[in-house]
Amino acid sequence: MGSKSSSLNKIPNAQELMQETGFSAAHILRLYERFEFLDVDQMGELRPEDFGAIRELSMNPIGDRIISAFFSPGKETVDFASFVRILAHFRSTETNRTRDGAQPEPANSRTRKLKFAFQLYDQDRDGKISREELLQVLRTMMEMQVTEEQLQSIAERAIQEADLDQDDAISFDEFRKSMEKVDIDHKMSIRFLS
Amino acid sequence: MPSRTGSHSPTGIGKSLPERGLLLLMVLVLLEGSVIPLGAASSPDTGHQKNVDNHKAEGEKNHTKKAFPVLDLDYRHIQTPFEISLWVLLASVMKLGFHMIPRLPGIVPESCLLITVGLLVGGLIKLAGEKVPPVLDSQLFFLCLLPPIILDAGYFLPIRPFMENLGTILMFAVVGTLWNAFFIGGLLYAVCQIQPANPNELHQLEILPCLLFGSIISAVDPVAVLAVFEEIHINELLHILVFGESLLNDAVTVVLYHLFEEYSAAGTVTVLDGFLGIISFLVVSLGGILVGAIYGILAAFTSRFTSHTRVIEPLFVFVYSYMAYLSAEMFHLSGIMALIACGAVMRPYVEANISHKSHTTIKYFLKMWSSVSETLIFIFLGVATVDGPHHWNWTFVTVTVILCLVSRVIGVVGLTCVINKFRIVKLTTKDQFIVAYGGMRGAIAFSLGFLLKKEEFPMREMFLTAIITVIFFTVFVQGMTIKPLVELLAVKKKQEAKRSINEEIHTQFLDHLLTGIEDICGHYGHHHWKDKLNRFNKKYVKKCLIAGERSKEPQLIAFYHKMEMKQAIDLVESGGGVNLPSAVPSTVSMQNIQPKKPPPAKPVEKALPKMTKGREEEIRQILRSNLQKTRQRLRSYNRHTLVADPYEDGFSELLIKKQKMIALEKKIKDMNYYLTVPAAPPDSPTMCRARLASGRGTDFKPAQQQRGNKISPDPQSYSSKPAMDRVPTIQVDLASPQSPDSVNLMDEFRRADQQEEDQGLTMKAPSGQSGFNRPGEADRGREQQKLTRCLSDPGPSADEEEEEEPFLP
């Protein structure tokens, strides 16, 4: 671990990050390498264009949403710490160390994962997925292959199924309820190979 | 896979008359089955036929000496098919019988009961002094009995969990089976050598036959696994693990079997042979998959052109799959893997191409054949047990059984330790236990043993005895106890399979999300490759293999469509109960069912004669009850086309109608339809007519528009009456199977928040102006109800009949 700890030194707040996110040193290192790779002008921060340079991401229908999720509202750049914090949502839940009640919920808990996904739908951050927002998501995912009324039908149906309090929008709790059968731990985790 | 067992009989302790009759029937069939085949001469080729009994001229019993044999009995003539049918009948009647016995199906798995029946039948035959037919003849087994089961499994294989766990499954299948084979074979050999008590026979056993035996006995059997796991309903992950393993280990078994069989004669296996064996394994498995995939693609391609001959669509599926199996077997490749690959590859494309009926046919035929096959296999196992020849050797048999268990447990535990390092969702100890415990052996092992030639393997009988004992042990002991154990250990059970549209949307969304995150991390993982495959599929493959418009249909639409269909079918089947779930006016289905050209009139005409009086009444009931609140008057609806046979191709219309009805009901509540709605621009009559003339016949005008309604002279369509006031009318538009007009529908919904023109059930209030008397239609009371639409432009259509015309375009 000697070389690792020395390389860790160049990463600001490495220890705190590890503590907060639960990543191991190896993971942090690898993420840092990736961060530096993306950061073409070596500013120590990433901008949307840097993300845009990833080719496969531009082909992804919800690529822009993912990119914008990294940037907190109002900020133009993302530093390494925020980068890691966002990615911490996707750690596998099994490797959680036991925590006491005082610690905040870890980033990769099921609720936090769902919250992250929810926020990708809910662009205007009002805590609800409105019909329009759902339609937008469907539109981008379907990539112009369906007609407008098909989308409307699907959106209508989805809202009807999920909307329990009849406010014509999906709140986070309703979202969570509709996903209770889905194995989120599996579906929203990636293996960060070190 | 859905359970093949029927529902439990509701009867209690006492046996009613029908059941006594059934019991009697069973007994008769049993007797008949065992006694009658005695009469005929044995048929020359034992390869094919089940019952090759030697003759006693059984026919002589029934001969009446007449000058001219008016009535003659010639059993030999029909012997073979008769006996086959008898066996099948026996199997089916047995199945029926078991579910009539109270409580028994819950305790004992069906496979055990069937083996017992087989034992009984074999015993009966033996008692009758006859030679038991070699029913588990390997030809018959591998060519006729096994393929339906595997095809059923492969066609309905849940691809997603299978692929997600492919690494684990392969590890268990390949490494696990290898481990089992060598462990059992090697230790058996060691035990045989050191066994002092029976120096004579066991010492003869060479290492290679031992290894051969090990390889035969080590493979987990898909038939047995299916039979047992179907009844215990464990969660999807475990099911797919054990089942997938049982399917994929066929390649290993084939290679090992041939390898050891070949070299048993030679006596030694060199390193080169081992190396060749590995290559052979790759060839066998990949070759099998390739053969299957080729046939699968052929089948998908063929199904693209079947739109005019729907009745033979299922045939293509079956024949191509069977040929895939036979072709693979021809090259000594793994037939099972070929069959699985064929079914899995062709399914998404074939399902997009074939009609709903064909889909149902395929499903039920497969289930039926595989069910009968499975039943027969177990019965034959019983019969073959009675047949022998057996050579019981306590040491050999008990050591085999113990070793099987031990090696399975060690294998699973060891492999899981390795596998868990690579899995996101780890396998717990409970999971491992179930996987180990679920490793059952079955008829494949027996048939493979049966295939051995006596000359080369003098210990063949001993092998067979041991194999049968292991099979009995796993099926009876493990099969019976696994259910209570699952309960005891509180293993997660299978969840309700209903997927909601939300789950589907969000799952796709998450897929994209994870792919994106993986790209950001620069990590080419699972999602990345899956995404790439999907893109490739969408871009190239679907275009070739799916007919017409469906090729562009995204998965979500297909799913949505399926859901709507299911819901509507349920609705109709339940008689359209009052509590209709709110559904969206869906026009999606229309476009997806029919090609873009105007639909033929045929489906409509077919629908017409099917409407009976009773049905009609039923429909009217439904309509009335559901629309009561809106105080609509059933003015007119096309009763002849309202409820067609839901499985008809024109079913989509029904779908839409029902949904519109429901949606309308909902929307009407919010609507203020006492008409203060501003007029909307009228539809031009020409447009209306044009639409009608094009055969779509939907007259789909928003109520707020002043309609210059045309009663179209076109008999194939019907128009709604123009409305002066805009009243919400529920239009039953049974006509249009496809309407891009539906596009407008939604727009109109949005625009007109006060009313809606629904194309769908038209229950129009009678117009004040034109007295349309619909014979037998619903009440016509409130002529003056604001719901009516008057002819704004009387025009030529004033006294023509309108939409009540029972026509669907």
Side-chain angles (χ1 to χ4, degrees):
Chain A
M1 287 287 275
S3 63
K4 283 232 178 79
S5 51
S6 59
S7 341
L8 271 183
N9 290 336
K10 62 181 177 180
I11 305 173
N13 308 323
Q15 288 299 330
E16 287 150 29
L17 270 180
M18 279 168 58
Q19 187 70 5
E20 186 185 335
T21 59
F23 278 124
S24 71
H27 286 154
I28 297 274
L29 212 51
R30 193 180 176 296
L31 289 174
Y32 192 71
E33 283 165 16
R34 182 70 183 169
F35 185 82
E36 291 197 313
F37 175 76
L38 292 174
D39 184 16
V40 285
D41 47 6
Q42 297 297 320
M43 296 262 293
E45 288 176 328
L46 291 179
R47 274 165 294 121
E49 303 85 63
D50 298 323
F51 282 106
I54 307 173
R55 197 174 53 89
E56 289 91 1
L57 200 56
S58 46
M59 288 200 295
N60 197 318
I62 57 169
D64 337 310
R65 287 176 186 246
I66 301 177
I67 294 176
S68 59
F70 276 86
F71 297 88
S72 336
K75 289 189 66 178
E76 293 282 311
T77 58
V78 63
D79 61 357
F80 182 63
S82 322
F83 184 71
V84 173
R85 280 195 201 103
I86 299 279
L87 288 179
H89 285 107
F90 294 94
R91 268 187 59 236
S92 153
T93 36
E94 263 86 14
T95 49
N96 267 346
R97 288 161 275 199
T98 48
R99 55 185 182 89
D100 52 48
Q103 281 181 359
E105 202 173 355
N108 61 347
S109 73
R110 190 191 156 91
T111 315
R112 291 284 297 271
K113 286 187 202 270
L114 278 175
K115 190 88 189 159
F116 185 78
F118 187 77
Q119 273 163 355
L120 284 178
Y121 277 98
D122 184 22
Q123 294 286 56
D124 58 3
R125 317 247 163 169
D126 62 353
K128 289 181 182 305
I129 305 176
S130 70
R131 186 180 307 225
E132 193 49 46
E133 286 168 340
L134 188 59
L135 269 175
Q136 270 174 10
V137 170
L138 284 173
R139 227 173 265 136
T140 52
M141 285 210 299
M142 297 286 144
E143 295 173 26
M144 305 301 161
Q145 287 168 346
V146 300
T147 60
E148 188 58 34
E149 89 284 2
Q150 282 176 328
L151 287 177
Q152 295 276 357
S153 309
I154 296 182
E156 177 73 36
R157 173 135 195 166
I159 291 192
Q160 275 176 0
E161 265 182 13
D163 192 16
L164 302 168
D165 56 5
Q166 306 292 329
D167 60 355
D168 216 29
I170 305 180
S171 70
F172 179 60
D173 284 323
E174 290 160 356
F175 181 72
R176 192 167 35 180
K177 190 151 199 332
S178 69
M179 295 288 269
E180 60 189 0
K181 291 209 198 104
V182 178
D183 185 8
I184 294 292
D185 301 331
H186 193 164
K187 282 208 101 33
M188 281 190 73
S189 303
I190 42 180
R191 261 178 266 126
F192 290 95
L193 299 174
S194 52
Chain B
M1 283 179 43
S3 167
R4 288 191 215 115
T5 61
S7 55
H8 291 269
S9 155
T11 62
I13 328 139
K15 291 227 167 102
S16 62
L17 196 57
E19 279 160 14
R20 285 208 199 110
L22 186 62
L23 224 61
L24 191 60
L25 178 63
M26 273 166 51
V27 171
L28 276 177
V29 169
L30 266 174
L31 282 179
E32 202 187 2
S34 49
V35 167
I36 283 192
L38 314 181
S42 61
S43 62
D45 51 337
T46 59
H48 282 301
Q49 311 318 329
K50 299 186 195 127
N51 301 307
V52 281
D53 279 308
N54 294 321
H55 63 302
K56 251 175 214 156
E58 183 267 351
E60 274 150 19
K61 282 192 239 163
N62 294 343
H63 264 263
T64 54
K65 294 276 179 204
K66 277 199 182 139
F68 179 70
V70 175
L71 188 64
D72 198 8
L73 184 80
D74 185 3
Y75 184 68
R76 231 156 289 153
H77 188 57
I78 49 105
Q79 177 189 358
T80 315
F82 191 80
E83 285 165 2
I84 296 175
S85 312
L86 216 51
W87 279 110
V88 173
L89 189 62
L90 174 71
S92 316
V93 170
M94 283 302 127
K95 243 178 134 70
L96 282 184
F98 293 146
H99 293 284
M100 300 230 154
I101 306 175
R103 287 194 324 128
L104 196 57
I107 308 176
V108 184
E110 205 175 282
S111 36
C112 304
L113 294 172
L114 290 171
I115 294 188
T116 321
V117 167
L119 287 172
L120 275 174
V121 172
L124 273 175
I125 296 184
K126 260 229 156 103
L127 273 181
E130 286 310 312
K131 179 174 171 305
V132 174
V135 284
L136 261 190
D137 173 32
S138 301
Q139 273 269 54
L140 175 73
F141 177 77
F142 282 112
L143 293 184
C144 299
L145 291 179
L146 193 59
I149 302 180
I150 304 294
L151 179 61
D152 181 34
Y155 195 77
F156 293 109
L157 193 67
I159 294 284
R160 208 181 161 118
F162 187 75
M163 286 300 167
E164 282 176 5
N165 294 298
L166 191 62
T168 315
I169 294 178
L170 277 175
M171 276 288 268
F172 278 127
V174 177
V175 179
T177 312
L178 279 172
W179 157 259
N180 278 347
F182 284 103
F183 186 77
I184 296 178
L187 277 189
L188 258 181
Y189 180 66
V191 165
C192 289
Q193 293 304 93
I194 67 170
Q195 170 66 274
N198 289 336
N200 42 354
E201 45 179 25
L202 289 185
H203 277 194
Q204 294 175 346
L205 211 49
E206 297 287 316
I207 178 79
L208 278 176
C210 271
L211 285 175
L212 177 60
F213 178 74
S215 66
I216 294 178
I217 199 81
S218 63
V220 177
D221 186 84
V223 180
V225 164
L226 263 180
V228 172
F229 270 49
E230 238 172 18
E231 301 184 6
I232 62 178
H233 300 301
I234 54 171
N235 63 51
E236 194 180 53
L237 172 67
L238 286 179
H239 185 110
I240 200 71
L241 280 182
V242 182
F243 184 59
E245 179 196 344
S246 69
L247 290 174
L248 294 186
N249 66 18
D250 180 57
V252 181
T253 312
V254 163
V255 170
L256 283 179
Y257 181 82
H258 284 300
L259 190 73
F260 290 132
E261 197 196 5
E262 286 282 318
Y263 294 122
S264 284
T268 55
V269 177
T270 65
V271 175
L272 181 64
D273 297 327
F275 190 63
L276 281 179
I278 297 180
I279 307 235
S280 166
F281 166 71
L282 288 172
V283 167
V284 161
S285 48
L286 294 175
I289 295 179
L290 189 68
V291 168
I294 292 177
Y295 275 98
I297 293 184
L298 276 178
F301 191 67
T302 314
S303 73
R304 189 182 164 174
F305 303 106
T306 57
S307 47
H308 299 288
T309 45
R310 294 269 184 210
V311 278
I312 57 171
E313 273 171 344
L315 195 65
F316 287 116
V317 171
F318 301 140
V319 171
Y320 273 113
S321 315
Y322 194 49
M323 285 188 65
Y325 180 76
L326 293 176
S327 311
E329 287 289 323
M330 180 167 67
F331 295 108
H332 279 301
L333 304 174
S334 166
I336 290 185
M337 292 179 95
L339 212 44
I340 301 283
C342 184
V345 163
M346 82 170 138
R347 187 178 178 204
Y349 308 109
V350 162
E351 290 208 334
N353 282 333
I354 62 179
S355 70
H356 187 76
K357 275 183 176 161
S358 300
H359 174 73
T360 312
T361 309
I362 293 178
K363 178 164 135 185
Y364 282 104
F365 257 85
L366 280 179
K367 297 289 170 206
M368 180 186 78
W369 271 330
S370 63
S371 177
V372 168
S373 266
E374 185 185 293
T375 315
L376 276 176
I377 288 180
F378 283 115
I379 292 186
F380 288 168
L381 257 182
V383 172
T385 310
V386 170
D387 188 16
H390 290 300
H391 180 88
W392 183 270
N393 183 307
W394 276 104
T395 328
F396 192 75
V397 173
T398 46
V399 168
T400 308
V401 174
I402 297 176
L403 277 181
C404 278
L405 285 174
V406 168
S407 82
R408 175 91 183 147
V409 170
I410 299 181
V412 168
V413 170
L415 281 175
T416 317
C417 288
V418 176
I419 290 172
N420 270 346
K421 294 204 179 63
F422 298 100
R423 281 181 67 90
I424 299 179
V425 178
K426 318 273 182 208
L427 293 174
T428 65
T429 324
K430 260 193 259 177
D431 295 336
Q432 291 172 40
F433 176 74
I434 296 291
V435 171
Y437 206 67
M440 316 212 177
R441 315 312 201 255
I444 292 186
F446 181 80
S447 305
L448 284 177
F450 204 80
L451 263 179
L452 294 174
K453 298 194 208 18
K454 181 87 191 210
E455 310 79 50
E456 296 174 25
F457 298 95
M459 316 303 295
R460 177 176 176 264
E461 282 145 23
M462 197 166 70
F463 285 175
L464 281 180
T465 313
I467 293 175
I468 289 198
T469 316
V470 172
I471 295 178
F472 270 47
F473 182 80
T474 57
V475 172
F476 278 90
V477 175
Q478 287 180 243
M480 275 201 264
T481 54
I482 199 168
K483 196 162 185 176
L485 274 174
V486 162
E487 306 278 335
L488 195 67
L489 293 176
V491 178
K492 262 200 308 191
K493 294 271 191 135
K494 180 156 83 171
Q495 290 185 317
E496 246 315 298
K498 253 171 59 126
R499 284 193 78 173
S500 69
I501 187 97
N502 270 295
E503 279 181 23
E504 186 70 24
I505 297 178
H506 299 317
T507 309
Q508 271 204 20
F509 185 80
L510 287 179
D511 276 342
H512 287 304
L513 172 62
L514 273 249
T515 312
I517 297 285
E518 276 187 2
D519 291 330
I520 291 180
C521 293
H523 164 66
Y524 287 144
H526 189 66
H527 290 91
H528 180 89
W529 295 115
K530 197 156 70 158
D531 195 54
K532 273 214 155 78
L533 184 65
N534 276 341
R535 272 183 211 282
F536 174 72
N537 190 16
K538 209 187 299 192
K539 211 161 158 203
Y540 300 112
V541 182
K542 272 192 177 167
K543 291 225 175 71
C544 294
L545 297 179
I546 299 185
E549 286 300 312
R550 303 283 305 264
S551 63
K552 296 204 204 67
E553 189 179 82
Q555 185 197 348
L556 195 59
I557 299 288
F559 177 80
Y560 176 70
H561 172 58
K562 229 191 285 187
M563 279 188 77
E564 294 283 303
M565 279 272 246
K566 232 184 268 184
Q567 185 184 329
I569 291 177
D570 291 336
L571 259 179
V572 173
E573 278 183 349
S574 67
V578 185
N579 300 328
L580 292 165
S582 294
V584 183
S586 158
T587 54
V588 177
S589 38
M590 294 195 298
Q591 279 165 304
N592 290 339
I593 281 197
Q594 307 287 353
K596 282 274 182 238
K597 59 176 172 40
K602 287 184 269 156
V604 178
E605 258 105 80
K606 273 189 259 167
L608 289 179
K610 291 203 176 102
M611 214 42 189
T612 66
K613 224 33 179 153
R615 218 70 200 280
E616 209 181 297
E617 227 356 87
E618 196 185 296
I619 303 312
R620 233 174 282 161
Q621 271 300 331
I622 297 168
L623 293 174
R624 221 171 279 145
S625 61
N626 282 301
L627 295 173
Q628 215 67 50
K629 306 177 216 167
T630 67
R631 287 189 273 139
Q632 295 276 337
R633 285 295 152 225
L634 293 182
R635 170 64 169 114
S636 59
Y637 59 93
N638 192 331
R639 59 175 184 244
H640 287 277
T641 52
L642 181 53
V643 178
D645 176 1
Y647 299 91
E648 197 69 44
D649 279 316
F651 169 62
S652 50
E653 292 96 29
L654 166 66
L655 195 80
I656 297 143
K657 303 338 146 222
K658 288 278 182 210
Q659 287 167 335
K660 298 255 166 72
M661 188 168 74
I662 299 153
L664 189 70
E665 179 192 335
K666 176 172 164 264
K667 292 218 180 229
I668 282 200
K669 284 185 221 145
D670 330 309
M671 277 195 308
N672 169 17
Y673 66 58
Y674 291 114
L675 311 215
T676 47
V677 205
D683 251 356
S684 84
T686 36
M687 243 183 50
C688 177
R689 203 187 277 280
R691 245 186 264 143
L692 293 174
S694 72
R696 296 203 223 104
T698 53
D699 187 347
F700 162 12
K701 292 199 229 300
Q704 74 267 28
Q705 295 180 3
Q706 294 247 318
R707 303 190 182 202
N709 248 343
K710 280 321 144 250
I711 315 283
S712 157
D714 178 0
Q716 289 217 325
S717 59
Y718 58 89
S719 57
S720 41
K721 291 182 47 134
M724 202 99 78
D725 329 276
R726 294 122 351 232
V727 288
T729 60
I730 309 164
Q731 269 190 342
V732 178
D733 172 48
L734 303 163
S736 154
Q738 52 121 330
S739 46
D741 294 347
S742 50
V743 181
N744 302 337
L745 179 63
M746 287 318 276
D747 291 351
E748 278 149 9
F749 274 134
R750 267 181 293 167
R751 269 181 287 148
D753 27 20
Q754 287 196 339
Q755 14 173 265
E756 59 194 70
E757 177 68 18
D758 208 34
Q759 66 166 2
L761 296 172
T762 305
M763 263 108 357
K764 282 170 65 148
S767 136
Q769 286 194 7
S770 45
F772 294 116
N773 295 315
R774 297 275 80 131
E777 300 289 321
D779 355 23
R780 299 203 31 215
R782 338 248 191 95
E783 307 273 321
Q784 296 322 317
Q785 232 197 19
K786 309 262 171 90
L787 299 182
T788 66
R789 293 211 239 125
C790 312
L791 282 169
S792 54
D793 168 20
S797 52
D799 34 12
E800 277 178 45
E801 304 253 305
E802 47 154 350
E803 68 278 340
E804 283 77 337
E805 292 295 295
F807 286 116
L808 274 185

